Amino acid sequence: MKDQPAAVIGGSASGQSHPVASTMQAVVQDGYGTSDVLRVAEIARPVFGPRKVLVEVRAAGLDRGTWHLMQGKPRLLRLVFGLRSPKQPVIGRDVAGVVVEVGSEVTAFAVGDEVFGVAPGSVAEYAVAREDKLAHRPATVTWEQAAVVPISGGTALQAVVDAGRVAEGQKVLVTGASGGVGSYAVQLAKAAGAEVTGVASAAKADLVRALGADHVLDYAVDDVADGTRHYDLIIDIAGLSELSRLRRALTPRGTLVLVGGEGGGDWTGGTMGRQLRARLSSAFSGQRLTSVIAQERGADYVRLAALLESGQVVPSLERAYPMAETVDAMRHLEAGRVRGKIAVTARSGA
């Protein structure tokens, strides 16, 4: 017997379309927890409203955000995504695929367009996306590469370019440089003409150099705040370093951008208070301390598409897993072993 539908998304479909199946395979979770809560199920194909599109998924990206939503941690997330179980039981947000139906008010995309962007419930054969959270896929990248760009690449763009105001000739430090956001932050800073130092584990130093970093520091050995180096811009992705320590590594007029952070409290994750302290400290200092709460914006994916087409940014894709091996992929992510990004392919031969 087939599993009962886990979710139906949005309103009714309208606009252009071509025939698609009424059911689909998807990776779902019935509650919060470890990777063991995940399973592949056959569920109803999602329906949607007039300003959304239906995407036939070719690949979906996995990142720490997807892991946090699976865990339901920090617990404040549950106020938005579901108290006891996720409102959206299909996991994933990053997507790359082909538009197969469009709502009646959609103007930017048509059936057959190849797109990438954000679609909640992307680890599935079909997913629904808002028109303003998609961009056309560059022909220079594969489906799997495109699928690991939107959230991590968009966050890095907002941190390095928008909040950080990176400029040619600056000295830039990126912590967590071998991760999803960090791998893009290094490349974006280099594309702007900066001298980039990446912080990572010794095992991933070669990856950071391959991304274009001019210098690589081992976080277990090297102290970025030892007074021998000072940076115009620090993009702090790695975690919960003391603000005072990071400020010692800044120039007197330098900028610190906080991007998320692991660890901390079970309810808030420990990042909210740190970001508030940074902004308060900035008001009494020549240094500019700020933070990024990433936004999912199609306009940013258009900007990234141009960088992908020019070759200035290349997605660092470690591996693509078939949908049946999503649990293994999440365990690999949870263990912190991922070099760059990983993806899940929704269709064989995609």
Side-chain angles (χ1 to χ4, degrees), residues 38-73:
L38 303 180
R39 62 187 176 89
V40 178
E42 185 159 344
I43 65 172
R45 176 180 63 80
V47 294
F48 57 99
R51 302 197 66 179
K52 296 183 179 182
V53 306
L54 182 68
V55 176
E56 182 182 74
V57 179
R58 298 301 176 86
L62 295 182
D63 61 6
R64 295 294 295 187
T66 302
W67 178 83
H68 280 293
L69 290 175
M70 180 188 73
Q71 291 269 344
K73 293 181 179 179

Side-chain angles (χ1 to χ4, degrees), residues 14-330:
S14 56
Q16 303 175 37
S17 67
H18 71 74
V20 295
S22 61
T23 62
M24 66 178 186
Q25 295 287 306
V27 176
V28 303
Q29 63 178 109
D30 301 314
Y32 295 113
T34 67
S35 301
D36 294 332
V37 302
L38 303 180
R39 62 187 176 89
V40 178
E42 185 159 344
I43 65 172
R45 176 180 63 80
V47 294
F48 57 99
R51 302 197 66 179
K52 296 183 179 182
V53 306
L54 182 68
V55 176
E56 182 182 74
V57 179
R58 298 301 176 86
L62 295 182
D63 61 6
R64 295 294 295 187
T66 302
W67 178 83
H68 280 293
L69 290 175
M70 180 188 73
Q71 291 269 344
K73 293 181 179 179
R75 293 182 182 274
L76 278 181
L77 289 174
R78 302 188 187 191
L79 297 178
V80 177
F81 294 99
L83 291 176
R84 297 187 177 181
S85 61
K87 297 175 184 177
Q88 166 57 281
V90 183
I91 71 166
R93 297 187 69 80
D94 281 319
V95 73
V98 179
V99 175
V100 292
E101 292 186 9
V102 299
S104 58
E105 297 180 15
V106 171
T107 59
F109 303 99
V111 171
D113 283 353
E114 298 181 353
V115 296
F116 74 114
V118 172
S122 60
V123 186
E125 292 182 301
Y126 297 96
V128 169
R130 281 173 36 178
E131 179 182 23
D132 61 353
K133 292 192 176 186
L134 293 174
H136 289 92
R137 177 179 75 105
T140 52
V141 295
T142 66
W143 292 112
E144 294 85 358
Q145 288 177 315
V148 300
V149 172
I151 292 178
S152 293
T155 301
L157 185 73
Q158 292 166 38
V160 175
V161 179
D162 299 341
R165 304 170 191 170
V166 66
E168 184 176 1
Q170 286 187 328
K171 293 184 178 181
V172 177
L173 178 74
V174 178
T175 71
S178 63
V181 177
S183 64
Y184 290 108
V186 169
Q187 295 182 78
L188 289 168
K190 283 299 296 179
E195 179 183 328
V196 181
T197 299
V199 182
S201 67
K204 298 178 181 178
D206 60 329
L207 169 64
V208 179
R209 291 191 185 92
L211 293 169
D214 300 284
H215 316 283
V216 181
L217 301 178
D218 179 353
Y219 73 82
V221 176
D222 300 307
D223 182 4
V224 301
D226 63 3
T228 62
R229 314 170 187 87
H230 292 91
Y231 302 93
D232 303 293
L233 172 62
I234 297 177
I235 307 297
D236 182 46
I237 307 164
L240 299 171
S241 294
E242 290 293 331
L243 292 177
S244 58
R245 179 170 175 267
L246 293 171
R247 292 183 65 180
R248 287 198 300 272
L250 273 180
T251 60
R253 308 294 294 181
T255 296
L256 167 64
V257 181
L258 303 178
V259 186
E262 297 297 327
D266 192 42
W267 281 90
T268 65
T271 61
M272 295 175 62
R274 182 169 179 257
Q275 292 176 356
L276 178 60
R277 291 194 303 274
R279 290 180 179 272
L280 289 173
S281 298
S282 186
F284 303 97
S285 169
Q287 297 171 328
R288 189 168 67 92
L289 281 63
T290 187
S291 60
V292 167
I293 299 176
Q295 305 294 312
E296 299 168 349
R297 300 187 296 228
D300 286 344
Y301 310 147
V302 172
R303 295 162 68 190
L304 288 166
L307 292 165
L308 293 166
E309 288 176 334
S310 69
Q312 291 176 288
V313 172
V314 178
S316 179
L317 178 67
E318 178 188 298
R319 179 183 170 187
Y321 293 76
M323 188 188 296
E325 297 178 14
T326 302
V327 170
D328 293 334
M330 289 297 287

